[in-house]
Amino acid sequence: MKVELGPVTRLEGHLNVKTTVENKVIVDAKCEGEMFRGFERILQGRHPLDAQQITQRICGICPYAHGLASSYAQEEAYRITAPANGRILQNLIQGANHLYDYLLNFYQLSAIDFIDVTAILKYTGKDRDLIHLRDWVKAKLANGKAHAAAPFLPRLSGDYVENTDINIGALKNYLVALDIQRKSNQASAIFGGKFPHATSIFPGGCTQEARIDLILAYKALIEEVRAFILDTYLPDIMAIASLYPAYWNIGASKGGFLSAGLFPLGADQDGKRLFSSGYVANQTAATAPFDCNAITEETAHSRYAPHGPEKLAAGTLVPDPSRGYSWIKAPRYAGQVAEVGPAARLIVSYHHPEDQRVRGVVDGYLKKLNLTIFQLNSVLGRHLSRGISATLIADYLLEACEQLTPGQPTMAAHKIPATGEGFGLTEASRGALLHYLRLRNGVIEKYECVVPTTWNCSPRDGKEVPGPLESALIGLHVASPEEQLESLRVIHSFDPCLACAVH
Ligand code: NFE
């Protein structure tokens, strides 16, 4: 039977997944990005300093990553580098955004695929937030308006957690996590100017100062967020993992793993990063350095004029709604499908000889849970990878605050050349993000973005190879073919953002 899962909720943007199910097993899956956007066209002919502002509008969740990728690309085109303070401030803005985003994915978007929210109806305690939630859900049900109790009800049927205390504890943390996310966003805004779209991110650094009062305010917020990550977020991931161990082996994508590297540790964006860049082939330790020239995009099944694999500098964008099944293009790395995101980032760093710190922390979890590194390529593996990344990032941000030198410059001077080109690489929370820009006569002649969800929700390529999410769904057993709670768990583990994917 054929079952459409769209519009898939609890993600950003417009995703449909068309599945074919036989004997309760998904035998085919197609991810459809359902809306065209066209940011790359909007940028053509504009002044390059518009780019780090306009590209942030691709998304309200990961805007700083777009602003930074654009700034890095412009730095390369202008042949400048940021002063040490400027690079650190860029990292501080982006890092707090990662923490917010991981908590959002787990509590608001994914956890209620496992938690039984109806447990709140049995709540008899004194917590004001939970009493409020209970009475709100009760009132909706009493009015026959269960459909209005979104995002909790209605829901798909399935094997939700049975223990009432665990369910109610998780719902409490769902509410607390909202407050902690606000604190992360406040921290970003201290140096970014505001959330979601930062005014201060700029090629060559950051226009905010490295003032002591700002640094202390930032640290205080990140310390609170870090405490929540250690005391609540990681234990909640472990609790779900202990109840659903099968999900360490469910939802694996079939391609390789790609990371663009995150947080330059010196002023040079091409130098060492906290999380390294690279490509790792599935189930092997075969690694390759990240090479922008190995990236192509193709449109065999996308709603654009047909073309085979194109390098970024040559990339075209001619919409054709009569073709294909998705507005997402099909990016490939050296011709291979690649998963990006928290699991891919850890898998790449784990195999990188210089990333001993990441490897040590990841090894600790793998040993404790009796897992292999490639089991991070799973539903639980992606959630654990976000949790591990959150601890590493929070620690790094606090250390980085100590490396700022108050009073020293945060911006490099620059002169915009008439011609030039540059690549900007970073890891958005959802994975590898690449911006390419080329200048002619001092304006943007060409702009290309290759975005995390473009990789993960890629349609088939010209060789009919499915994208990562498609391949993770094919072979999945579903208890109810019509509802497919299991598919939703797989999809949410990738944390798709369709606004970004199509851009
Ligand atoms: Ni719109 Fe984004 C992240 C980027 S994902 S959220 O993370 O870039 O495609």
Side-chain angles (χ1 to χ4, degrees), residues 15-351:
L15 174 69
N16 188 13
V17 181
K18 286 187 177 157
T19 62
T20 307
V21 187
E22 288 174 7
N23 301 321
K24 298 197 171 186
V25 174
I26 296 177
V27 294
D28 192 24
K30 290 197 168 114
C31 292
E32 301 187 355
E34 296 193 292
M35 190 176 81
F36 177 71
R37 302 192 73 206
F39 271 78
E40 289 146 336
R41 280 192 166 190
I42 292 169
L43 286 159
Q44 280 170 15
R46 298 194 73 114
H47 192 282
L49 288 179
D50 288 349
Q52 79 281 354
Q53 281 302 323
I54 289 178
T55 55
Q56 286 192 64
R57 271 70 187 174
I58 288 172
C59 184
I61 302 177
C62 66
Y64 304 143
H66 287 289
L68 273 180
S70 182
S71 296
Y72 291 164
Q74 291 180 62
E75 286 177 16
E76 197 170 289
Y78 307 163
R79 298 172 190 276
I80 58 169
T81 193
N85 267 355
R87 194 65 79 211
I88 293 169
L89 290 186
Q90 289 180 342
N91 290 347
L92 296 186
I93 296 167
Q94 188 184 16
N97 184 243
H98 272 249
L99 302 184
Y100 145 72
D101 211 344
Y102 298 147
L103 296 176
L104 172 69
N105 170 262
F106 183 72
Y107 286 103
Q108 274 65 46
L109 306 182
S110 301
I112 46 184
D113 295 339
F114 297 92
I115 296 304
D116 178 7
V117 292
T118 64
I120 193 67
L121 298 169
K122 299 180 202 150
Y123 183 65
T124 55
K126 293 197 166 51
D127 185 281
R128 282 180 52 193
D129 293 337
L130 289 174
I131 291 170
H132 182 77
L133 180 62
R134 178 195 66 200
D135 294 348
W136 179 78
V137 174
K138 257 191 191 164
K140 297 288 182 191
L141 293 175
N143 292 336
K145 287 185 180 162
H147 65 279
F152 301 117
L153 296 170
R155 60 175 182 175
L156 303 177
S157 60
D159 57 337
Y160 294 99
V161 173
E162 288 173 3
N163 182 304
T164 302
D165 290 342
I166 293 178
N167 283 317
I168 288 178
L171 284 168
K172 172 68 183 172
N173 294 342
Y174 176 106
L175 299 172
V176 177
L178 291 170
D179 195 43
I180 300 293
Q181 287 165 47
R182 179 175 57 76
K183 289 180 175 167
S184 274
N185 291 337
Q186 274 182 323
S188 293
I190 285 174
F191 295 114
K194 65 186 180 65
F195 178 86
H197 301 116
T199 46
S200 69
I201 293 175
F202 216 76
C206 174
T207 59
Q208 180 57 286
E209 295 172 87
R211 282 200 335 249
I212 297 253
D213 58 328
L214 300 181
I215 299 168
L216 291 177
Y218 179 95
K219 277 184 73 174
L221 287 163
I222 295 298
E223 272 162 6
E224 271 192 78
V225 176
R226 180 178 178 275
F228 182 82
I229 289 164
L230 293 175
D231 300 342
T232 307
Y233 174 40
L234 271 166
D236 280 347
I237 295 172
M238 294 303 184
I240 296 283
S242 69
L243 293 170
Y244 294 88
Y247 279 88
W248 291 117
N249 297 306
I250 290 175
S253 69
K254 310 289 189 299
F257 306 97
L258 186 69
S259 169
L262 179 62
F263 303 132
L265 295 176
D268 179 7
Q269 57 157 302
D270 294 326
K272 173 95 189 84
R273 294 189 176 195
L274 182 72
F275 297 91
S276 291
S277 63
Y279 174 83
V280 175
N282 207 342
Q283 296 300 336
T284 75
T287 62
F290 192 101
D291 175 8
C292 294
N293 288 313
I295 296 173
T296 55
E297 289 192 305
E298 54 187 286
T299 59
H301 292 280
S302 308
R303 295 190 174 127
Y304 302 94
H307 62 73
E310 280 183 339
K311 294 204 173 182
L312 302 182
T316 50
L317 189 75
V318 182
D320 181 354
S322 69
R323 291 192 69 251
Y325 65 86
S326 179
W327 286 107
I328 303 173
K329 290 186 179 182
R332 295 292 182 262
Y333 190 81
Q336 303 299 311
V337 169
E339 174 173 339
V340 301
R345 188 181 311 133
L346 290 190
I347 289 170
V348 168
S349 269
Y350 187 87
H351 288 97

Side-chain angles (χ1 to χ4, degrees), residues 12 59 61-62 65-66 101 428-431 433 451-454 497 499-501:
E12 161 57 39
C59 184
I61 302 177
C62 66
H66 287 289
D101 211 344
S429 341
R430 286 161 194 73
L433 174 64
V451 182
T453 302
T454 319
C497 173
C500 277

